[in-house]
Amino acid sequence: MSEAEKIVVDFIESWNRLDYDSIYAAMSEDIFYHNIPMEPCNGIAEVKALFGGGAFDFDEAQWDVHAIATNGDVVLTERTDRFKMAGQWIAIRVMGTFEIENGKIANWRDYFDLAEFQGEMARVLGGSAP
């Protein structure tokens, strides 16, 4: 396993523990994070505001990696991201791209179906989802 791949695998394990200190420590201060098709975050402060703003208020997480590919400092993942909230699990299929610079995640883009996410949120929380 390359160093870049290990950084991403460790990052995913941090999500599985919901260890936000470890999650933030894996990112560069000037990280570009784009949870496509949502608005991107520029810098760790914006990422922390997003994750701490209630949109990521999960009781548990389980990211299952189905495939991972590495080309130098770029790591691609095919995953199912599961989050437990309100006593129920939601699941979203995700393709992720991580670019590593100086041992940190400098660019992170996740691609997923917004309608699938909204449907899962509505199923668990009732009504309309964000």
Side-chain angles (χ1 to χ4, degrees):
M1 178 182 308
S2 72
E3 182 61 27
E5 189 171 318
K6 181 175 179 352
I7 289 167
V8 172
V9 168
D10 289 348
F11 180 71
I12 290 168
E13 286 304 313
S14 295
W15 272 102
N16 289 342
R17 295 186 313 273
L18 286 181
D19 180 351
Y20 285 99
D21 289 338
S22 182
I23 289 167
Y24 298 140
M27 298 181 209
S28 66
E29 286 296 316
D30 61 348
I31 186 170
F32 176 80
Y33 168 54
H34 196 177
N35 211 2
I36 298 164
M38 298 173 163
E39 291 299 314
C41 294
N42 290 291
I44 195 75
E46 286 188 18
V47 171
K48 287 180 177 181
L50 175 66
F51 293 165
F56 289 82
D57 190 18
F58 305 112
D59 300 321
E60 295 180 52
Q62 179 62 49
W63 289 14
D64 299 319
V65 177
H66 307 295
I68 191 165
T70 305
N71 184 4
D73 291 328
V74 177
V75 180
L76 307 176
T77 60
E78 177 187 18
R79 313 185 312 262
T80 300
D81 292 359
R82 302 175 200 284
F83 299 97
K84 189 174 186 181
M85 55 191 315
Q88 297 183 60
W89 286 93
I90 64 169
I92 300 105
R93 296 167 296 170
V94 179
M95 292 293 296
T97 301
F98 300 86
E99 297 175 23
I100 309 302
E101 294 177 8
N102 301 315
K104 301 273 188 174
I105 299 168
N107 292 290
W108 171 22
R109 294 177 305 280
D110 274 347
Y111 302 84
F112 66 98
D113 183 339
L114 183 59
E116 179 180 50
F117 172 71
Q118 290 172 327
E120 284 287 278
M121 293 292 285
R123 178 183 59 78
V124 169
L125 300 177
S128 61

